[in-house]
Amino acid sequence: MRNPLPVRSDPEEMDLDALINEVIELRDRCDAYEGRDDDRWVKMFGLTPTQNRLFSLLAAHLGTVVFHQRIRNWMWDDRPGETPLSETNVVAVHACHINRKLPPTLRIEGEFGFGYRLVGELPAPAANEVSA
């Protein structure tokens, strides 16, 4: 069972800027739980590092739409100079390439104007990948 992320301050006692900073910090700490560095998808589906980053985010939110802005923040915020323009279809191209590598029971679907979601059933990890 995962430990909940503790909130260090009482929101009622914080000003708006401090509350926003607390939310941003919690979001960043949640990224570690979302499998950002999880390479099992690389091994299982033969994904590139960028494809793995997108797939890991969508897999962490299986069946739920992940909004475009969240995807861009997740994939490119920590890599200056690689941020695609918001008008480009970089995420759509990566999703298409990932879909070619996935089994027929698992698909990335675009939700026009909103974002993307992973639908289907994730395969169980191999016995040697299960951690105690």
Side-chain angles (χ1 to χ4, degrees):
M1 180 176 179
R2 291 184 177 167
N3 293 330
L5 295 173
V7 177
R8 293 189 310 268
S9 305
D10 182 1
E12 292 180 8
E13 297 175 5
M14 300 171 70
D15 66 10
L16 184 58
D17 288 334
L19 185 59
I20 289 170
N21 288 333
E22 185 79 16
V23 169
I24 290 170
E25 184 177 334
L26 285 172
R27 183 205 71 187
D28 292 343
R29 290 169 55 206
C30 286
D31 286 348
Y33 289 110
E34 291 181 337
R36 176 170 274 194
D37 297 319
D38 187 355
D39 67 349
R40 73 179 148 155
W41 309 121
V42 172
K43 296 172 187 172
M44 192 176 293
F45 301 125
L47 302 179
T48 67
T50 302
Q51 291 170 352
N52 183 56
R53 218 169 163 135
L54 175 59
F55 188 84
S56 295
L57 175 64
L58 297 175
H61 301 283
L62 185 65
T64 304
V65 174
V66 179
F67 293 102
H68 291 291
Q69 185 62 44
R70 175 74 172 115
I71 293 170
R72 282 193 298 271
N73 289 346
W74 171 261
M75 294 188 62
W76 290 284
D77 265 3
D78 64 343
R79 298 191 290 180
E82 293 186 38
T83 307
L85 298 173
S86 59
E87 300 85 32
T88 66
N89 64 346
V90 171
V91 175
V93 170
H94 284 300
C96 180
H97 290 165
I98 294 169
N99 276 335
R100 291 179 187 163
K101 298 177 179 184
L102 297 178
T105 57
L106 194 60
R107 285 276 158 259
I108 296 175
E109 296 179 347
E111 294 291 328
F112 186 76
F114 293 100
Y116 293 86
R117 80 169 122 211
L118 182 64
V119 294
E121 189 173 326
L122 288 171
N128 60 351
E129 294 177 359
V130 177
S131 59

